Amino acid sequence: MSLIRILWLRVLLFACLWWILAEGRLDGWLLGGVAVIAATWTSVALWPPPAHGVRLTALPGFLAFFFANSVRGGWQVALMALRGRRALQPAFLELPLNLPAGAPRILLINVLGLMPGTVGIELTGDRLRLHVLHQDLPVVAEARALERRIAALFGATT
Amino acid sequence: MNDIALAVALFLLGNLVITLLAAARGPTAADRMLMALLFGSTGSGILVLLAVAMSIPALVDVALVLALLAAIGGVAFAKRAWQEDGHD
Amino acid sequence: MTDLIMPWISGTLLIVGAFFYAAGTLGLLRFPDVYSRLHALAKADNLGLGFVLLGLALQAESIAVGLKLLLIWPLALAASAGVSYAIARRADSLGVKPWCKDSP
């Protein structure tokens, strides 16, 4: 993606944000325009464009996967809370990561905390230690599925 | 609709009080840190419900700022933990 | 037609949200160690917030106001993801042992 296109996308994103924050009113756009330019400039300074571009075409699929699994995760933990501690059989688990370091891995660890049964504990080198609510849950297969989604989102190979 | 929103807001307030008491009791320091999580999710939930129930739209902005500060705090927390990872 | 059904959908979503918040509280009270309590709070409470926000956004007077409500959700998720990771790591480095079914 060219630099100009990324800049325009960011301007568009911040303009949308301003529109939402102003609740659709039109009287503040002078200030809004300044805020949008300042935000775009800051974002370029803090997060230079070439690093880890997100593929917009993969975004809807990722979001759908994320929503479906976070509802499943919440439902599962709610049922366990109703049953009390006899529903639990916690375990630690070591998961070797296939994703490249940086944004993809950070996203993986953060999203895992909302997926069914898992919370990330510690990342050492390429291995992530997880806490699992019940050792019989198919967490490894689900973590791999999440990894594939994130790889598609960043256009990386696992 | 507004009645439901108010009822749910009060219910969440009750939840928050119970969880705060439980979390404050410990037993470990990590348990007490759970309170930081509570204020992000339950706190902003109560604020948006009250904004609708009491017709005070400004409370939505308060909830937004609370969530934003919680997000920045969360990232800062995680980043510190992350850098410790690099050292040891 | 939508004016008739929307309040019902919206009210149902609020009650579903309240259920998940309650489940989070219940988990916090009943789960045996800090790691499991973290699961309960991070997953159930955030889902509760998501349902509450969605329920309120459906009743919002304009699209922008509705989107503003929904904007709170990703922020709360980012907060809880960062804080959960920090708490779990801290507990682990402090030597907090996870609860195990066989040992009392």
Side-chain angles (χ1 to χ4, degrees), chain B residues 1 11-12 15 19 22 27 30-31 33-34 37 41-42 45 48-49 52 61 64 68 70-71 74 77-78 81 84-85, chain C residues 10 18 21-22 25 28-29 34 37-38 41 45 49 52-53 56 59 68-69 72 75 79-80 82-83 85-87 89 91:
Chain B
M1 172 61 198
F11 179 73
L12 292 196
N15 263 303
T19 28
D31 281 292
M33 276 169 72
L34 290 176
L37 272 181
S41 55
T42 314
V48 287
L49 284 163
V52 172
D61 295 275
L64 196 62
L68 186 64
F77 258 146
E84 280 169 30
D85 281 344
Chain C
S10 182
Y21 272 112
T25 306
L28 186 83
L29 295 176
V34 66
R37 287 197 276 269
L38 204 52
L41 275 186
D45 270 31
L49 179 63
V52 164
L53 289 173
L56 294 178
Q59 288 281 299
K68 193 184 198 176
L69 283 164
I72 296 174
L75 290 173
S80 99
V83 176
Y85 177 76
I87 293 177
R89 204 194 114 73

Side-chain angles (χ1 to χ4, degrees), chain C residues 31-46:
Chain C
F31 284 172
D33 64 357
V34 66
Y35 305 105
S36 331
R37 287 197 276 269
L38 204 52
H39 285 271
L41 275 186
K43 295 192 226 307
D45 270 31
N46 280 314

Side-chain angles (χ1 to χ4, degrees), chain B residues 8-78:
Chain B
V8 174
L10 291 175
F11 179 73
L12 292 196
L13 201 60
N15 263 303
L16 187 63
V17 171
I18 296 171
T19 28
L20 277 182
L21 289 176
R25 219 179 35 195
T28 63
D31 281 292
R32 290 189 285 276
M33 276 169 72
L34 290 176
M35 284 192 277
L37 272 181
L38 273 172
F39 274 101
S41 55
T42 314
S44 39
I46 293 173
L47 283 171
V48 287
L49 284 163
L50 285 181
V52 172
M54 318 285 249
S55 310
I56 316 172
L59 282 183
V60 175
D61 295 275
V62 178
L64 196 62
V65 172
L66 183 76
L68 186 64
L69 288 177
I72 295 169
V75 171
F77 258 146

Side-chain angles (χ1 to χ4, degrees), chain A residues 85-148:
Chain A
R85 59 177 65 188
R86 69 202 148 88
L88 304 179
Q89 202 160 331
F92 278 134
L93 195 88
E94 289 254 346
L95 185 76
L97 296 183
N98 298 326
L99 287 172
R105 263 187 207 178
I106 294 175
L107 184 66
L108 174 80
I109 295 170
N110 287 322
V111 172
L112 269 179
L114 292 156
M115 298 286 110
T118 46
V119 160
I121 302 271
E122 191 179 15
L123 180 73
T124 18
D126 288 341
R127 302 179 76 78
L128 176 68
R129 213 140 70 89
L130 290 172
H131 181 263
V132 184
L133 272 179
H134 196 292
Q135 59 189 26
D136 294 342
L137 291 172
V139 288
V140 176
E142 286 179 9
R144 292 287 175 231
L146 177 62
E147 257 188 340
R148 280 195 298 277

